[in-house]
């Protein structure tokens, strides 16, 4: 590969950004461009380069079409156009008029924002918010995560905005705060000190708007903060700060400094925990005395007699005290349940708040009735249930307090990842000769591309980069899960957040901000935690009729105890002292209302997925959501690509031979001229070997060595014109496709090397094979162990490769794979996947290159090697960060453990309700005299949600399979 392509390669992110994560299998969302809209067309019948040329030629005739990229491999066209001049439908019709069928197209003029949602308690709440958001004109998709308490919305910025979106959530009865929008990654906050007037702020804003690379400027005059959105390729936060500082003139002196807004998610989580804690303590302040006055002192005659002192008629001191203490709990501390019920009923739905409000109101207002009746009558004897209302609310608030703390721990792994990057870095100023002029400590957020940074032993790398000077060992375990330190020399890549074990290293920053591998890992995990797994549908379906069913059950319970009691169908001895039939029936019905818990069902899946995806990320396995997790646990066939997946991916030339009178020097120069244009690993190995065979390791270009008409033939090789000569370099299939004869000597060379698992590359000049090279790609040391372990798990293993059959078979035999598909092009790989699926197999595809992306998409689960191409990583469901095959097993094993945990959660949540409701309804009372008082039923309901979250937290203890633990 040439120097230019190497420089371009260094600019590519190590991982695709989180917009590549698919929440429901739809096309990923790209950057928003207000002037030019991008649309992706899925096109059938595009089979070759001529088809691509035909589509491009007809679209270029349309006024308003800016650019067209047609990919026969992926069967799609990416078109950028100006909406004012041409529509997407016109482009679609033009493609179809050219004879190609458009199966679908997705416009990319879409922005993304995330909201923090307040007030959700169960699945019906998240469904209500989604429904409300989808009614907003311009909202394309909305996904609400119950456990994460966030919503991700894709919307058309030309139709709506974040203010309207937040209003829709508020109108639905929930709180919402903007967490981030799509452009926040390239935004810097600057605090100004010394500003004396709004005119100064406006003048700074106008100056910044003229600065090259600045897209938008906002000002907060009250706080003296300037918010600048910028293009990272043109400028950076440090340049913006310097510009503001340098713009001081005359008496207008002010200091510009970086302002870091408080991270909202942590602050809001802490605020929520603190709120529930305070509400619980205040509730206990009132409810504990009520409980003592109702249940404890009356059992101790000398001490509780004063509570029975009658004030008027049958009204006692105890009744008055209980009424006074219960009322603040019911209407002030318990106000949240009334508000939640109001909004739920207004949406024509019901949630946990409705059940709590019904239960506590029934207990409270019946108790108020007994107080009024006792005041008016001198013969009335009745029991109040004030303790039921207060204890219910107290236990539910305790449950919410514990649940919010437990839910905060489900994202611990993600929080640890976000804290890996250091706060400061040592910036070097270097002149053209490489001499260090100065060292400055700066905030990590101010680092820009191409900055030279000094990393001391024991310090963390603040951003991604390449080693500029020095050598040492780097601990990458916090990112890749690999405990062994990795040696780093000049030119090697380093990842932000990893630790420099020894040696002082100078690095050049290549990826900063949201482009770093660490940021992208966090974004992928956050997006995956919002993605709803198919297994979640069970809870969604149950939630639609859960609360109405419980209300009906409570009414039936009341009737089932009251009517037989009045009719004398059960003994009076069953009725506790100081109660009558009505009150006993009311107690049972209230218990039914408050014991049922829809929250546990709603939390069963998302909390487990949150923990699993965070744990996977810390182990070097990025799983893109619950859908990928659920599919991975069913996998019974794993298909491996060969080059770069089963093998190291760094081929080495072991021999070269000439079949004509051409000189070795000319052979090497010609080979270098052609293969330097290819990015294939084998091409790089051939170029390196050819250079080493030349005198002084330098090419000697002739006057006619200009390369023209270069064309890649996927799965076969390359071809071009070198001066006046036609050159083809590739396998036998390429030679046969151009009718180039393959002699006996060539065949023998081929067969001898293929038996040794080597790949032979033929070089033909002007329709005659002039030479060949044999290339070997060492098998990864763990490959055989991984294949053996998968087979022990009853998972079938398959190899699919574009290499020749003999080489592929030799490697497959070496590592234990029985099923091999060789000499397969990229589309052929996808077809093989579909053939396996047609036989009823659940297929996982493991690959690393662009040529694997169709197969990764076609497979039930696509697994991309992290060191592979960005296209492969984007197409995959699972990304193996450290390029280790052992993590294929980790991904499958973790998915199995997670789905098992989700099933345990569901079994507990459903089992709890199935058993709890009948017990609360009194089914055991006639036989063993066991009755579940309403306050105890409320405690059980609170405990059920906490237990489900704690069950999910057990996934934090997950360890890789024993055979691969290090």
């Amino acid at each position: 590969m040439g120097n230019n392509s190497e420089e371009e390669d260094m600019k590519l992110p190590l991982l695709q950004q989180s917009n590549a994560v698919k929440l429901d299998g739809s096309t990923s969302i790209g950057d928003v461009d207000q002037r030019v809209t991008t649309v992706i067309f899925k096109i059938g019948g595009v089979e070759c380069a001529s088809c691509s040329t035909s589509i491009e030629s007809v679209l270029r005739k349309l006024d308003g079409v800016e650019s067209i990229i047609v990919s026969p491999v992926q069967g799609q066209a990416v078109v950028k156009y100006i909406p004012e001049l041409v529509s997407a439908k016109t482009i679609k019709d033009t493609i179809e008029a050219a004879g190609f069928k458009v199966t679908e197209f997705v416009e990319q003029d879409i922005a993304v924002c995330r909201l923090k949602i307040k007030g959700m308690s169960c699945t019906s709440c998240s469904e209500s918010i989604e429904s409300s958001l989808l009614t907003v004109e311009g909202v394309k998709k909305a996904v609400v995560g119950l456990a994460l308490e966030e919503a991700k919305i894709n919307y058309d910025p030309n139709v709506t905005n974040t203010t309207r979106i937040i209003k829709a959530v508020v109108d639905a009865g929930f709180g919402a705060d903007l967490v981030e929008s799509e452009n926040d990654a390239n935004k810097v906050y600057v605090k100004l000190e010394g500003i004396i007037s709004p005119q100064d702020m406006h003048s700074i804003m106008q100056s910044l708007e003229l600065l090259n690379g600045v897209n938008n400027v906002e000002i907060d005059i009250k706080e003296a903060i300037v918010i600048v959105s910028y293009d990272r390729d043109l400028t950076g936060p440090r340049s913006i700060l310097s510009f503001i500082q340098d713009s001081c003139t005359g008496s207008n002196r002010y200091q510009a400094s970086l302002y870091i807004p408080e991270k909202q998610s942590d602050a809001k989580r802490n605020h929520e925990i603190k709120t529930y804690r305070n509400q619980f303590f205040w509730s206990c302040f009132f409810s504990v005395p009520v409980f003592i006055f109702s249940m404890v002192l009356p059992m101790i005659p000398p001490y509780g007699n004063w509570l029975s002192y009658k004030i008027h008629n049958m009204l006692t001191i105890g009744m008055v005290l209980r009424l006074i203490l219960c009322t603040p709990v019911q209407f002030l501390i318990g106000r949240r349940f009334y508000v939640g019920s109001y909004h739920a009923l207004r949406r024509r739905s019901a949630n946990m708040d409705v059940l709590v409000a019904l239960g506590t109101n029934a207990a409270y207002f019946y108790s108020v009735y007994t107080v009024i009746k006792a005041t008016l009558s001198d013969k009335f004897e009745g029991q109040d249930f004030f303790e039921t209302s207060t204890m219910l609310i107290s236990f539910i608030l305790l449950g919410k307090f514990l649940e919010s703390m437990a839910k905060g721990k489900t994202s611990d792994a993600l929080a640890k990842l976000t804290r890996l990057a250091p706060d400061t870095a040592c910036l070097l100023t270097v002149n053209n000769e490489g001499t260090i002029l100065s060292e400055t400590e700066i905030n990590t957020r101010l680092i820009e591309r191409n900055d030279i940074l000094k990393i001391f032993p024991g310090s963390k790398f603040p951003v991604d980069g390449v080693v500029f000077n020095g050598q040492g060992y780097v601990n990458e375990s916090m990112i890749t899960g690999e405990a062994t330190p990795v040696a780093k020399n000049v030119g090697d890549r380093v990842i932000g957040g990893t630790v420099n074990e020894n040696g002082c290293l100078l690095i050049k920053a290549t990826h900063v901000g949201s482009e770093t591998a660490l940021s992208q890992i966090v974004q992928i995990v956050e997006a995956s935690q919002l993605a709803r797994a198919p297994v979640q549908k069970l809870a969604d379906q149950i939630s639609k009729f859960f609360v109405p069913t419980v209300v009906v059950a409570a009414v039936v319970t009341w009737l089932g105890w009251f009517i037989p009691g009045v009719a004398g169908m059960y003994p009076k001895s069953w009725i506790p002292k100081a109660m009558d039939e009505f009150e006993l029936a009311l107690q049972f019905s209230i218990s039914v209302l408050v014991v049922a818990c829809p929250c546990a069902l709603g939390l069963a899946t998302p909390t487990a997925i949150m923990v699993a995806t965070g744990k996977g990320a810390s182990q070097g396995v990025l799983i893109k959501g619950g859908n990928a997790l659920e599919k991975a646990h069913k996998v019974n066939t794993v298909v491996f690509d060969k080059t770069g997946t089963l093998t190291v991916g760094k081929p080495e030339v072991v021999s070269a031979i000439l079949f004509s009178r051409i000189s070795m020097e000319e052979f090497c120069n010609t080979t270098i001229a052609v293969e330097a244009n290819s990015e294939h690993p084998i091409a790089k190995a051939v170029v390196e070997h050819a250079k080493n065979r030349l005198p002084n390791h330098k090419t000697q270009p002739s006057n006619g060595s200009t390369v023209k008409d270069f064309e890649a033939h996927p799965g076969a090789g390359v071809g071009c014109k070198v001066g006046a000569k036609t050159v083809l370099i590739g396998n036998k299939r390429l030679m046969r496709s151009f009718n180039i004869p393959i002699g006996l000597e060539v065949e023998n060379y081929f067969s001898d090397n293929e038996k040794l698992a080597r790949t032979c590359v033929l070089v033909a000049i002007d329709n005659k094979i002039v030479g060949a090279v044999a290339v070997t790609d060492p098998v990864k040391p763990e490959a055989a162990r991984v294949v053996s372990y998968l087979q022990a798990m009853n998972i079938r293993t398959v190899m699919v490769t574009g290499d020749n059959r003999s080489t592929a078979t030799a490697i497959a035999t070496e590592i234990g794979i029985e099923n091999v598909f060789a000499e397969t092009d990229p589309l052929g790989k996808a077809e093989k996947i579909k053939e396996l699926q047609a036989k009823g197999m659940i297929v996982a595809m493991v690959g690393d290159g662009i040529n694997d992306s169709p197969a990764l998409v076609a497979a039930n689960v696509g697994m991309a090697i992290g060191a592979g191409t960005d296209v492969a990583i984007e197409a995959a469901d699972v990304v193996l960060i450290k390029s280790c095959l052992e993590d294929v097993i980790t991904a499958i094993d973790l998915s199995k453990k997670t789905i098992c945990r989700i099933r345990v959660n569901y079994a507990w949540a459903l089992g709890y309700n199935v058993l709890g409701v009948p017990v609360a309804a009194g089914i055991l009372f006639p036989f063993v005299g066991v009755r579940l008082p309403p306050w105890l039923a409320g405690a059980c309901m609170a405990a059920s949600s906490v237990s489900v979250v704690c069950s999910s937290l057990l996934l934090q203890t997950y360890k890789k399979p024993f055979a691969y633990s290090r």
Side-chain angles (χ1 to χ4, degrees):
M1 187 187 295
N3 290 334
N4 290 338
S5 58
E6 284 181 3
E7 291 175 5
E8 289 299 316
D9 181 56
M10 295 308 298
K11 294 178 182 178
L12 293 174
L14 297 179
L15 294 172
Q16 280 293 90
Q17 292 189 19
S18 63
N19 283 346
V21 177
K22 299 177 182 178
L23 297 179
D24 60 0
S26 60
T27 305
S28 61
I29 298 165
D31 294 331
V32 176
D33 192 324
Q34 299 294 336
R35 299 179 301 277
V36 179
T37 298
T38 303
V39 62
I40 296 178
F41 295 92
K42 295 289 184 181
I43 306 173
V46 182
E47 299 175 350
C48 59
S50 62
C51 297
S52 304
T53 304
S54 300
I55 295 172
E56 290 175 4
S57 61
V58 295
L59 291 182
R60 283 199 179 94
K61 296 177 182 177
L62 294 176
D63 187 25
V65 173
E66 294 287 297
S67 68
I68 313 109
I69 300 174
V70 181
S71 170
V73 173
Q74 294 179 308
Q76 69 179 27
V78 180
V79 183
K80 291 187 177 181
Y81 69 99
I82 301 173
E84 289 77 9
L85 301 177
V86 66
S87 67
K89 187 177 184 304
T90 302
I91 299 172
K92 173 179 177 288
D93 292 342
T94 304
I95 295 172
E96 292 186 334
F100 300 94
K101 178 67 176 175
V102 176
T103 55
E104 65 173 291
F105 67 96
V106 181
E107 289 197 52
Q108 290 190 299
D109 191 12
I110 292 178
V112 180
C113 70
R114 285 172 54 218
L115 303 179
K116 189 70 177 176
I117 308 295
K118 294 178 287 187
M120 290 194 296
S121 59
C122 57
T123 308
S124 63
C125 297
S126 59
E127 287 184 340
S128 298
I129 295 171
E130 284 185 9
S131 301
S132 180
L133 287 169
L134 291 173
T135 60
V136 178
E137 185 180 2
V139 171
K140 305 295 183 182
K141 183 173 64 179
V143 181
V144 180
L146 175 62
L148 201 60
E149 295 179 340
E150 284 189 8
K152 186 171 184 178
I153 302 99
N154 301 340
Y155 64 97
D156 186 343
N158 300 315
V159 178
T160 190
N161 54 39
T162 54
T163 303
R164 293 178 187 172
I165 291 170
I166 291 173
K167 184 177 183 298
V169 177
V170 173
D171 289 344
F174 301 90
D177 293 308
L178 185 65
V179 177
E180 67 174 4
S181 62
E182 194 173 53
N183 297 321
D184 280 358
N186 295 339
K187 193 177 279 187
V188 62
Y189 293 75
V190 181
K191 178 74 173 178
L192 300 176
E193 296 178 8
I195 294 295
I196 56 174
S197 69
Q199 287 75 18
D200 292 336
M201 294 286 288
H202 285 289
S203 64
I204 292 172
M205 183 174 116
Q206 291 169 358
S207 300
L208 282 169
E209 287 173 339
L210 299 175
L211 184 64
N212 185 36
V214 171
N215 298 327
N216 185 51
V217 182
E218 301 172 33
I219 57 173
D220 183 342
I221 296 177
K222 182 178 179 182
E223 300 292 335
I225 293 174
V226 180
I227 307 167
V228 185
S229 299
Y230 60 92
D231 185 338
R232 186 178 281 116
D233 292 327
L234 300 176
T235 188
R238 200 168 69 252
S239 301
I240 293 170
L241 275 173
S242 299
F243 177 82
I244 295 174
Q245 196 67 51
D246 294 342
S247 63
C248 298
T249 56
S251 60
N252 294 328
R253 306 299 301 175
Y254 41 79
Q255 185 68 35
S257 60
L258 181 69
Y259 174 76
I260 303 175
E262 183 182 7
K263 193 169 182 181
Q264 293 186 1
S265 57
D266 292 341
K268 291 186 183 302
R269 173 69 66 190
N270 293 333
H271 175 72
E272 181 187 66
I273 292 172
K274 186 177 179 180
T275 299
Y276 278 128
R277 183 195 65 194
N278 292 341
Q279 287 182 342
F280 169 66
F281 285 154
W282 274 110
S283 179
C284 288
F285 179 78
F286 292 102
S287 60
V288 170
V290 172
F291 181 77
I292 292 173
F293 295 159
S294 300
M295 310 295 290
V296 180
L297 289 182
M299 303 297 178
I300 310 173
Y303 302 101
N305 291 341
W306 62 277
L307 292 171
S308 301
Y309 180 79
K310 295 176 182 177
I311 300 174
H312 179 71
N313 287 337
M314 301 301 291
L315 180 67
T316 65
I317 291 178
M319 284 184 175
V320 174
L321 287 175
R322 289 191 289 271
L323 173 63
I324 293 171
L325 291 170
C326 179
T327 300
V329 177
Q330 183 69 33
F331 297 107
L332 297 179
I333 299 173
R335 178 177 177 273
R336 65 182 306 278
F337 301 113
Y338 287 101
V339 174
S341 300
Y342 166 74
H343 288 297
L345 295 173
R346 198 182 71 171
R347 298 189 304 266
R348 297 182 180 179
S349 65
N351 58 12
M352 186 203 74
D353 291 334
V354 174
L355 294 179
V356 174
L358 282 173
T360 56
N361 277 334
Y364 178 81
F365 285 108
Y366 176 75
S367 301
V368 170
Y369 163 76
T370 62
V371 170
I372 295 172
K373 191 77 173 175
T375 305
L376 299 177
S377 172
D378 58 357
K379 296 180 180 179
F380 175 76
E381 291 186 6
Q383 182 180 1
D384 62 77
F385 301 126
F386 286 119
E387 81 284 351
T388 295
S389 172
T390 56
M391 295 302 291
L392 254 178
I393 291 174
S394 295
F395 275 116
I396 290 168
L397 289 174
L398 172 61
K400 285 292 181 184
F401 169 54
L402 296 175
E403 181 186 320
S404 61
M405 287 200 302
K407 276 165 47 176
K409 293 184 181 296
T410 60
S411 55
D412 270 359
L414 185 61
K416 288 177 183 176
L417 282 174
T418 60
R419 291 194 292 265
L420 284 178
D423 294 327
T424 60
C426 181
L427 175 69
L428 302 183
T429 305
V430 183
N431 61 17
N432 294 333
E433 287 75 34
T435 304
I436 299 174
L437 303 179
S438 65
E439 296 183 10
T440 309
E441 186 176 278
I442 63 169
N443 190 289
T444 303
R445 294 170 184 250
L446 296 178
I447 297 174
E448 299 177 4
R449 282 181 186 166
N450 300 318
D451 280 346
I452 304 299
L453 305 171
K454 187 175 184 178
I455 313 298
F456 298 97
S459 299
K460 292 180 180 179
F461 293 90
V463 293
D464 298 350
V466 293
V467 177
F468 181 74
N469 191 5
Q471 59 183 12
Y473 285 86
V474 175
N475 182 357
E476 298 181 344
S477 60
M478 59 289 298
I479 300 292
T480 67
E482 177 59 61
T484 306
V486 181
K488 298 291 181 181
N489 295 297
V490 174
D492 290 340
R493 288 189 177 189
V494 292
I495 304 173
T498 57
V499 179
N500 179 22
E501 292 283 337
N502 59 4
C504 187
L505 297 177
L506 303 187
I507 68 166
K508 177 184 281 189
T510 57
H511 304 94
V512 299
S514 62
E515 290 182 348
T516 64
L518 181 60
S519 295
Q520 291 166 37
I521 289 170
V522 170
Q523 290 170 31
I524 288 174
V525 175
E526 285 179 339
S528 69
Q529 291 178 347
L530 273 175
R532 185 170 293 171
V535 71
Q536 177 72 18
K537 292 177 182 177
L538 174 63
D540 294 344
Q541 292 168 353
I542 293 174
S543 69
K544 293 176 182 176
F545 57 83
F546 185 91
V547 174
T549 302
V550 171
V551 173
V552 170
V555 173
V556 170
T557 298
W558 183 81
L559 293 174
W561 280 99
F562 177 65
I563 294 174
V566 173
M569 295 175 66
Y570 56 78
K572 293 290 184 182
S573 60
W574 286 9
I575 304 174
K577 188 179 179 181
M579 275 195 195
D580 59 19
E581 296 85 355
F582 177 88
E583 293 167 345
L584 179 64
L586 183 63
Q587 286 260 315
F588 280 125
S589 63
I590 292 173
S591 294
V592 169
L593 280 174
V594 298
V595 79
C597 184
C599 302
L601 281 170
L603 292 170
T605 297
T607 52
I609 289 173
M610 282 181 68
V611 177
T613 51
K615 188 66 176 177
S618 67
Q619 301 272 2
V621 178
L622 287 183
I623 302 172
K624 297 182 181 178
N627 193 29
L629 265 173
E630 187 167 348
K631 289 188 294 184
H633 97 281
K634 299 176 182 177
V635 167
N636 54 25
T637 302
V638 177
V639 177
F640 292 97
D641 173 47
K642 181 179 74 71
T643 305
T645 302
L646 289 171
T647 61
V648 175
K650 293 183 179 179
E652 300 172 355
V653 175
V654 291
S655 72
I657 189 172
L658 299 176
F659 297 119
S660 69
R661 295 181 178 179
I662 187 174
S663 68
M664 180 58 74
E665 186 173 346
E666 184 182 354
F667 175 79
C668 290
N669 281 322
T670 302
T671 303
I672 292 170
V674 177
E675 291 286 53
N677 295 282
S678 174
E679 295 186 6
H680 197 283
I682 290 179
K684 295 178 182 178
V686 170
V687 169
E688 184 178 355
H689 177 79
K691 286 182 178 179
N692 290 334
R693 293 289 295 264
L694 291 172
N696 299 322
H697 305 308
K698 293 183 179 180
T699 57
Q700 302 294 327
S702 61
N703 293 333
S705 64
T706 304
V707 175
K708 296 184 295 184
D709 302 329
F710 180 86
E711 184 177 6
H713 302 275
V718 297
C720 65
K721 288 268 191 183
V722 180
K725 297 179 291 187
T726 300
V727 182
L728 293 171
I729 301 179
N731 55 24
K732 286 194 287 187
R733 182 152 56 93
L734 180 67
M735 302 301 153
R736 287 169 182 155
S737 65
F738 283 86
N739 299 316
I740 296 176
I742 301 174
L744 181 60
E745 187 181 5
V746 177
E747 289 283 7
N748 290 336
Y749 181 77
F750 242 88
S751 60
D752 290 343
N753 281 284
E754 285 174 350
K755 291 174 185 176
L756 300 173
R758 295 172 180 173
T759 299
C760 291
V761 179
L762 301 176
V763 179
I765 299 177
D766 293 333
N767 295 322
K768 182 181 178 181
I769 296 176
V770 298
V773 292
V775 181
T776 185
D777 186 4
V779 173
K780 288 183 178 178
E782 74 274 13
R785 299 198 309 273
V786 169
V787 169
S788 175
Y789 198 96
L790 287 172
Q791 291 170 348
M793 295 171 67
N794 294 319
I795 295 176
R796 182 185 180 194
T797 54
V798 179
M799 179 198 290
V800 58
T801 177
D803 211 339
N804 65 78
R805 179 165 298 279
S806 299
T807 302
T809 303
I811 290 178
T813 303
E814 180 182 346
I815 62 180
I817 292 179
E818 298 178 357
N819 306 284
V820 180
F821 299 109
E823 299 179 8
T824 308
D825 61 19
L827 293 178
K829 291 181 181 181
E831 289 301 319
K832 293 298 181 185
I833 297 287
K834 292 175 183 177
E835 288 175 14
L836 293 171
Q837 290 170 330
K839 296 177 183 177
M841 298 178 186
I842 308 299
V843 181
M845 170 69 192
V846 186
D848 72 320
I850 294 174
N851 62 338
D852 296 321
S853 56
L856 290 170
V857 173
N860 299 94
V861 180
M863 297 187 184
I865 297 292
T869 65
D870 293 330
V871 175
I873 290 169
E874 181 178 353
D877 301 297
V878 179
V879 179
L880 312 180
I881 300 175
K882 64 179 180 181
S883 303
C884 179
L885 287 175
E886 294 172 357
D887 287 339
V888 173
I889 294 173
T890 302
I892 295 174
D893 185 63
L894 178 58
S895 69
K896 288 180 181 291
K897 294 286 196 306
T898 305
I899 296 300
C900 179
R901 180 56 53 186
I902 289 172
R903 287 171 177 164
V904 169
N905 289 350
Y906 272 130
W908 167 250
L910 287 171
Y912 161 80
N913 283 291
V914 168
L915 295 176
V917 171
V919 171
I923 194 170
L924 298 178
F925 188 63
F927 306 105
V928 293
V930 174
R931 183 169 65 89
L932 196 64
W935 63 269
L936 186 56
C940 291
M941 181 189 75
S944 68
S945 295
V946 176
S947 62
V948 165
V949 178
C950 291
S951 171
S952 295
L953 284 172
L954 290 176
L955 286 169
Q956 290 278 25
T957 62
Y958 172 80
K959 288 181 171 54
K960 293 183 179 183
F962 176 78
Y964 298 107
S965 61
R966 292 175 182 265

